[in-house]
Amino acid sequence: MLYENNWESLNKRHVPAWFEDAKFGIFIHWGLYSVPSYAKPTDYAEWYGWSVLQPEHQYTRDFHNRAYGERKQYADFVADFKAELFDADEWADIFQRSGAKYMNLVSKHHDGFCMFKTDYAWNWNSYDVGPHRDFCAELSEALSKTDVRFGVYHSVYEWFHPLYLENPERYALEHLIPMLKELVEKYHPHTLFTDGEWSHPSSVWHSTEFLQWLYNESSMKDLIVPNDRWGNETRGRLGGNFTTEYGTVDGKRLLENPDGRPFEECRGIGHSFGLNRNERCEDYQTADALIWMLCDLVSKGGNLLLNVGPSADGKIPPLQEERLLQIGKWLKVNGEAIYASRKYTDNAEADLCYTKRDGKVYAMLHAYPFGERLLKAVPYAPELKATLLGDRTGAEIKIVDDNGAARLCFPPLNPMAQSSEHVFVVRLENVRGI
């Protein structure tokens, strides 16, 4: 099928199945803003270059003057962005062990600094200046040795680009779209998470024109997954997968009926995406909270894109690494309830959510299964069989009829005999109607 240069046609493209099967991805915000890595604990540190110039962000300006002096410009941080400890294979190993199936590297944030060698940002990219390295190339190569797919985030606008400030449409045609095509054809990303589109409609960005090329002509036309951030009218309505951020589409509204289209929640382990040295331990989500968040999102038909913010030297902070590895440990036991699963029901139950896969239903319990648990969404049948994933004892779970629903009766279980923690998954076989 050839797609036309309009939303009606473009929206008919199905999101490639690999994305809906993947469920869990890693976001990486890393760039010049990783040098100061500072904001209020409730703000985004990756916006440092903008915030330091805004009167309403005197908090950031005061820090900047104290730490670096009034004459230090944001662009001067390029000399301090050395990435001297960055090892692409080390990152790839962490992501593989986390259980993630794809990652999005910020190839360019709103400051315009590119994390790859590009013909369209001379002397303002990581290959020409600073560390003199092409991070898209290095990470793409490292991830090719794993089953984690390489992808990118790319800001459509730039705070200080002269052409954007003068004429946004010319900027889109002469700078943005050529760079996006270069990025796709050089690095073959499986995801394209655009952002920064909110000031103009998609017609100014020439978004449909670009997506027509992406779907019809690009080398990644059958595999790439773009998102929905293509103009100030598109989020949650038009594009590829629909995106939420900290639970909302644009900070104001919940995701409307996605009509079966996959959606993706993006958020940090803390509040910020870029590393914020001003965050403390209590500002970070626990492994328990993150794993339950993953289960809840997947049960609703979504993916979790969880962000890490490396330091300027190229290391993933140990606390963030620990969270990723804890998720990976849980997925190693319970991944069959997550990967390639689909939504089972719209009826939410307290501390309990469901998925389905290959004719089986998975009930995910956010509490250790002592005693009994009613599964309102699972019809009782004599042939039902229940298995607690990760249980080494082989104890039988009895199932009784409770007004037509299945009630699980757990025998006395020893928590020490379980290889799972945080969220406990029961595999249900022979469920009627599946």
Side-chain angles (χ1 to χ4, degrees), residues 169-219:
E169 190 165 11
R170 270 193 62 202
Y171 160 89
L173 290 170
E174 298 175 18
H175 178 75
L176 170 65
I177 291 179
M179 184 185 285
L180 282 173
K181 290 183 176 180
E182 174 194 49
L183 189 62
V184 170
E185 295 305 317
K186 280 181 68 174
Y187 305 103
H188 305 108
H190 285 80
T191 57
L192 178 57
F193 189 115
T194 48
D195 189 32
E197 81 300 345
W198 48 75
S199 295
H200 304 284
S202 58
S203 58
V204 169
W205 300 118
H206 286 255
S207 300
T208 58
E209 177 183 321
F210 170 75
L211 289 172
Q212 182 187 30
W213 169 85
L214 188 69
Y215 294 168
N216 290 340
E217 302 177 43
S218 79
S219 60

Side-chain angles (χ1 to χ4, degrees), residues 40 58 73 86 101 107 187 225 242 255 353 390:
K40 286 184 178 180
Q58 191 61 39
Q73 302 298 307
F86 171 72
K101 296 302 181 184
S107 57
Y187 305 103
V225 179
F242 291 166
L255 183 65
C353 56

Side-chain angles (χ1 to χ4, degrees), residues 137-421:
E138 291 188 43
L139 272 172
S140 178
E141 171 62 25
L143 290 172
S144 70
K145 307 167 192 173
T146 73
D147 63 358
V148 183
R149 297 175 189 251
F150 174 75
V152 294
Y153 161 112
H154 200 81
S155 175
V156 300
Y157 91 135
E158 298 177 21
W159 293 320
F160 312 120
H161 197 289
L163 187 54
Y164 171 72
L165 296 175
E166 177 188 340
N167 188 320
E169 190 165 11
R170 270 193 62 202
Y171 160 89
L173 290 170
E174 298 175 18
H175 178 75
L176 170 65
I177 291 179
M179 184 185 285
L180 282 173
K181 290 183 176 180
E182 174 194 49
L183 189 62
V184 170
E185 295 305 317
K186 280 181 68 174
Y187 305 103
H188 305 108
H190 285 80
T191 57
L192 178 57
F193 189 115
T194 48
D195 189 32
E197 81 300 345
W198 48 75
S199 295
H200 304 284
S202 58
S203 58
V204 169
W205 300 118
H206 286 255
S207 300
T208 58
E209 177 183 321
F210 170 75
L211 289 172
Q212 182 187 30
W213 169 85
L214 188 69
Y215 294 168
N216 290 340
E217 302 177 43
S218 79
S219 60
M220 296 301 290
K221 62 182 184 292
D222 297 324
L223 291 172
I224 197 164
V225 179
N227 67 353
D228 57 350
R229 301 183 178 192
W230 295 101
N232 57 18
E233 83 280 22
T234 65
R235 286 198 193 192
R237 300 185 178 105
L238 303 168
N241 77 89
F242 291 166
T243 57
T244 57
E245 185 170 324
Y246 290 88
T248 66
V249 176
D250 52 13
K252 301 174 184 176
R253 59 188 174 93
L254 297 175
L255 183 65
E256 298 163 4
N257 181 14
D259 194 28
R261 187 174 293 267
F263 75 94
E264 177 182 64
E265 159 73 353
C266 71
R267 61 153 298 138
I269 296 176
H271 181 75
S272 181
F273 285 94
L275 178 64
N276 185 0
R277 294 180 292 160
N278 213 17
E279 288 182 331
R280 302 185 63 184
C281 186
E282 55 265 31
D283 295 314
Y284 281 71
Q285 294 287 307
T286 64
D288 183 82
L290 292 171
I291 291 168
W292 179 247
M293 184 188 305
L294 173 64
C295 294
D296 182 57
L297 286 165
V298 172
S299 76
K300 296 172 181 175
N303 288 15
L304 173 61
L305 182 64
L306 184 64
N307 183 80
V308 296
S311 52
D313 59 16
K315 298 295 284 188
I316 294 174
L319 192 150
Q320 297 186 27
E321 180 181 345
E322 179 189 42
R323 294 292 189 271
L324 295 184
L325 297 183
Q326 287 171 315
I327 296 171
K329 180 181 177 182
W330 183 87
L331 282 167
K332 194 170 184 179
V333 176
N334 301 287
E336 66 179 89
I338 300 296
Y339 303 125
S341 68
R342 297 295 184 266
K343 181 168 67 173
Y344 171 65
T345 179
D346 288 319
N347 298 320
E349 299 178 34
D351 294 326
L352 170 63
C353 56
Y354 300 91
T355 59
K356 64 179 180 180
R357 172 185 170 181
D358 298 332
K360 303 176 184 69
V361 171
Y362 295 87
M364 296 178 279
L365 311 170
H366 198 196
Y368 190 76
F370 292 114
E372 300 181 353
R373 181 65 199 237
L374 175 64
L375 306 182
K376 297 178 182 178
V378 178
Y380 172 78
E383 63 271 22
L384 270 178
K385 179 183 177 182
T387 304
L388 179 64
L389 301 187
D391 177 35
R392 301 190 186 100
T393 68
E396 179 186 1
I397 302 172
K398 293 184 178 180
I399 307 173
V400 299
D401 187 351
D402 188 330
N403 292 318
R407 179 177 289 275
L408 304 184
C409 303
F410 294 93
L413 294 171
N414 180 0
M416 301 304 293
Q418 314 303 317
S419 60
S420 186
E421 54 185 335

Side-chain angles (χ1 to χ4, degrees), residues 92-149:
D93 176 65
I94 292 170
F95 302 151
Q96 174 86 352
R97 292 162 63 199
S98 78
K101 296 302 181 184
Y102 62 101
M103 58 127 279
N104 289 349
L105 172 69
V106 171
S107 57
K108 179 185 69 135
H109 202 254
H110 311 320
D111 59 5
F113 186 79
C114 295
M115 298 291 281
F116 62 102
K117 186 175 188 248
T118 174
D119 295 334
Y120 299 97
W122 178 81
N123 228 35
W124 194 234
N125 66 79
S126 63
Y127 188 85
D128 289 345
V129 292
H132 298 287
R133 297 172 71 170
D134 185 332
F135 296 114
C136 281
E138 291 188 43
L139 272 172
S140 178
E141 171 62 25
L143 290 172
S144 70
K145 307 167 192 173
T146 73
D147 63 358
V148 183
R149 297 175 189 251

